[in-house]
Amino acid sequence: MQQVRPGLRRLMDSMPHTPAYVVGRRTDVLAWNAPMAAMMIDFAALPPERLNKAWLVFCHEELRSRFVDREAKARDIVGYLRLDLGRHPGDPAYPALIGELSDASPEFRRLWEQQEIREKTHGSYHLRHPAVGEFTVAYESLTLPGDPDQTLVTYTAEEGSPSQAALHVLAELAELAERPLAPAVPGPGVS
């Protein structure tokens, strides 16, 4: 199992308005910050074996519903998964994941058969979120020095845009979700 360095976790946590996550081999989601969970899904609520971006894109309806153009996201994730398989042809976990996705999703099976390969270093997605509606984010994927099998992915929006405002609202929701509840203070006349 791949491990994320503590310094990288601190880096993500230091970005309170920037959704970010670390993806590893096979598109495994290794770490994320609170804004990322607020923007996509509560990763912490998933069983560890489901912390996989390909599985989430094809089999988790809540995450799938976030992408306005599901086909583009699906093509991107399949192309990247195929590229990653080429980097690690002997990894025995790939056939199991590909088999599971092929059984669960005709869409995955169709795209996998097309044999497209894609490196996803930057781009944008149009998202839909129940709390803020539709907005567009740009992503940057940064391969980590010292571990080329881990990539930090960050999401931003144009300065002053409605999309940036949506990201700020999501960051505020993430902050509220992480804040501990204050103890109840008895009102006047209550003992």
Side-chain angles (χ1 to χ4, degrees):
M1 169 106 184
Q2 293 177 282
Q3 298 296 314
V4 174
R5 295 186 312 263
L8 184 54
R9 288 182 186 274
R10 287 191 303 272
L11 174 64
M12 286 190 302
D13 289 341
S14 74
M15 300 185 292
H17 296 285
T18 305
Y21 74 104
V22 177
V23 65
R25 279 189 182 188
R26 299 170 304 276
T27 72
D28 287 344
V29 178
L30 305 176
W32 58 90
N33 65 8
M36 182 67 188
M39 185 174 81
M40 290 297 181
I41 60 168
D42 182 3
F43 293 102
L46 296 171
E49 68 273 10
R50 294 300 179 219
L51 287 172
N52 177 276
K53 195 72 184 264
W55 186 86
L56 291 166
V57 165
F58 287 98
C59 301
H60 193 280
E61 195 53 42
E62 182 182 350
L63 186 117
R64 285 178 54 81
S65 72
R66 295 285 191 259
F67 295 92
V68 173
D69 186 350
R70 290 183 190 194
E71 176 78 10
K73 180 59 180 175
R75 284 186 176 285
D76 285 349
I77 203 78
V78 169
Y80 182 81
L81 186 61
R82 188 173 281 285
L83 174 73
D84 200 46
L85 172 61
R87 292 178 181 147
H88 308 285
D91 186 333
Y94 281 98
L97 175 63
I98 292 162
E100 179 183 6
L101 291 170
S102 294
D103 289 345
S105 171
E107 180 185 24
F108 176 84
R109 197 169 40 253
R110 174 181 58 84
L111 294 172
W112 187 256
E113 290 170 359
Q114 294 176 8
Q115 299 188 15
E116 288 184 37
I117 294 174
R118 294 181 183 210
E119 176 71 80
K120 296 302 296 172
T121 58
H122 64 283
S124 64
Y125 289 116
H126 192 67
L127 302 176
R128 179 184 306 111
H129 193 283
V132 295
E134 291 188 14
F135 60 104
T136 301
V137 291
Y139 66 88
E140 294 290 335
S141 300
L142 310 164
T143 301
L144 299 175
D147 192 344
D149 288 336
Q150 291 187 18
T151 302
L152 173 66
V153 183
T154 62
Y155 294 87
T156 60
E158 260 187 67
E159 186 72 31
S161 69
S163 294
Q164 185 184 45
L167 283 181
H168 281 290
V169 169
L170 291 172
E172 288 171 7
L173 291 173
E175 186 179 324
L176 288 173
E178 287 193 326
R179 223 181 263 163
L181 294 175
V185 178
V190 177
S191 51

